[in-house]
Amino acid sequence: MVKLTIPIPGFPIGIAFDPTWFKWLWNKRPDWMRKRQQGILIIGAGGTGKSTLGRLLACESDLFGSPAGKYRESIYLERISLEDDPKVEIVIAPGQKLRRSVSWDEIGRDIREDLYRGIVLVGSHGYHSFNQNWQDHICYQENDTSKQFLDRLIKSGKDDELEVIRQLCSLLKQRRSIKKLWLITAVTKQDLWWDKSEDFKQFYEQGEYHEELTKLLAAVDKHRIQHEYAYMSLVIQSFKANNAVLRKNLAGYDQPQQLQSIRGLQKTIGELIGWELKE
């Protein structure tokens, strides 16, 4: 098993990266937090990697031991209980537009009732997986080359990521709790864009996404919300439409880089929980 120990603010020891690290961190929460039984919401556009991330956090999958499978669209809210504390859930929201119009009403109720201590907002810079031939996709236009289609798909995907954050902002405005809430923008599929990291990060940290994020954070008291970015690759694989490769994963991006990216997410969650525990 791969282990990399990192320090976590507020805890006497570091955390070794293994399939049980999130359980270990969760079990360190104090008694008052155990009574709250708040979960974590994973939300984002369809095809960005929410289910994969949720299962990794819940220790239902091994980063290197679970082979990448074909993309499957989530239809309903997925609720994964932590094995060591079944009352605590990781909730994964469907991301397709049609699904959001139905399932996100329930998410809104959960947010109003303060059922989440943290929200992970997942994006992938428009590289949104789908389960059909690319010529049958709504973004396809007659006589498109695969590159033309991919450019249009990415643009549509980024627009949808902006719409998701707007919808989340609307939900957070209804939150009545004065308790702390943390938020992570988790950008996946780093193995596809690693060579142009600065350009891709600009969209999230300085561009249109940042503008919408600023509005979202303003919807909550600045002393009660904390946001961080995390960039990662959950699965190393080419971006495909069925068996057609639309973009190859980058040469040189391999397991050490992938592990480092997940390690960054681990560190970010630890720091946010440390912030949450402060008076």
Side-chain angles (χ1 to χ4, degrees):
M1 179 180 296
V2 179
K3 291 192 176 182
L4 292 172
T5 302
I6 62 173
I8 297 296
F11 295 100
I13 62 174
I15 298 177
F17 181 84
D18 64 40
T20 63
W21 72 267
F22 188 74
K23 292 179 184 177
W24 183 93
L25 184 60
W26 185 260
N27 287 334
K28 288 293 181 180
R29 69 196 189 283
D31 289 340
W32 66 266
M33 191 175 290
R34 292 175 185 272
K35 294 177 182 178
R36 285 169 62 183
Q37 299 296 356
Q38 288 178 300
I40 293 176
L41 173 64
I42 298 180
I43 200 167
T48 54
K50 299 182 302 299
S51 295
T52 302
L53 178 58
R55 294 189 181 97
L56 180 65
L57 293 179
C59 308
E60 286 196 352
S61 66
D62 185 343
L63 183 63
F64 299 137
S66 302
K70 184 178 179 180
Y71 168 68
R72 294 183 180 180
E73 179 181 329
S74 296
I75 300 177
Y76 307 107
L77 283 176
E78 297 180 65
R79 297 183 179 272
I80 306 175
S81 298
L82 295 184
E83 182 179 333
D84 292 349
D85 196 343
K87 294 181 180 179
V88 178
E89 292 181 321
I90 292 177
V91 179
I92 308 168
Q96 303 295 340
K97 293 180 181 180
L98 177 63
R99 312 300 180 192
R100 295 202 301 259
S101 64
V102 177
S103 62
W104 282 30
D105 287 343
E106 185 174 348
I107 292 172
R109 290 194 295 271
D110 287 351
I111 289 176
R112 288 193 296 271
E113 295 173 8
D114 193 33
L115 298 186
Y116 304 119
R117 65 187 300 189
I119 299 174
V120 182
L121 183 55
V122 184
S124 58
H125 204 270
Y127 285 97
H128 297 182
S129 299
F130 56 96
N131 55 6
Q132 60 187 144
N133 294 326
W134 61 272
Q135 295 93 339
D136 297 327
H137 194 278
I138 192 172
C139 289
Y140 175 77
Q141 293 186 6
E142 189 176 1
N143 298 322
D144 264 355
T145 64
S146 60
K147 183 182 184 305
Q148 289 171 328
F149 165 75
L150 182 59
D151 289 344
R152 195 172 290 110
L153 178 77
I154 290 173
K155 173 63 168 60
S156 174
K158 289 165 64 179
D159 288 345
D160 199 29
E161 291 181 28
L162 297 176
E163 180 59 30
V164 167
I165 199 170
R166 293 186 193 108
Q167 289 182 272
L168 179 58
C169 179
S170 177
L171 296 178
L172 287 179
K173 287 180 179 178
Q174 303 173 37
R175 185 172 181 263
R176 298 185 292 265
S177 174
I178 61 172
K179 296 172 183 175
K180 288 183 176 180
L181 174 73
W182 50 262
L183 175 67
I184 297 175
T185 292
V187 185
T188 62
K189 307 185 184 181
Q190 190 179 37
D191 57 307
L192 298 176
W193 50 265
W194 182 52
D195 59 337
K196 298 181 180 178
S197 292
E198 294 307 314
D199 292 340
F200 278 59
K201 289 181 180 180
Q202 194 275 340
F203 170 74
Y204 291 99
E205 299 183 17
Q206 301 175 37
E208 294 176 271
Y209 184 94
H210 176 73
E211 294 175 5
E212 297 299 333
L213 176 65
T214 300
K215 297 175 186 176
L216 183 151
L217 297 177
V220 182
D221 184 338
K222 65 180 180 180
H223 300 294
R224 294 187 289 117
I225 191 167
Q226 184 77 7
H227 171 267
E228 298 292 343
Y229 291 98
Y231 300 91
M232 71 206 70
S233 179
L234 303 173
V235 178
I236 297 177
Q237 63 179 2
S238 296
F239 187 68
K240 299 179 180 180
N242 287 339
N243 293 323
V245 176
L246 298 177
R247 181 171 174 81
K248 292 182 179 179
N249 59 295
L250 295 169
Y253 191 100
D254 49 21
Q255 287 188 351
Q257 284 79 14
Q258 181 189 20
L259 181 57
Q260 184 68 21
S261 73
I262 302 299
R263 211 180 148 201
L265 173 65
Q266 175 186 358
K267 182 175 184 291
T268 298
I269 292 177
E271 290 174 343
L272 287 171
I273 289 179
W275 166 81
E276 184 184 355
L277 296 179
K278 291 180 180 179
E279 295 296 333

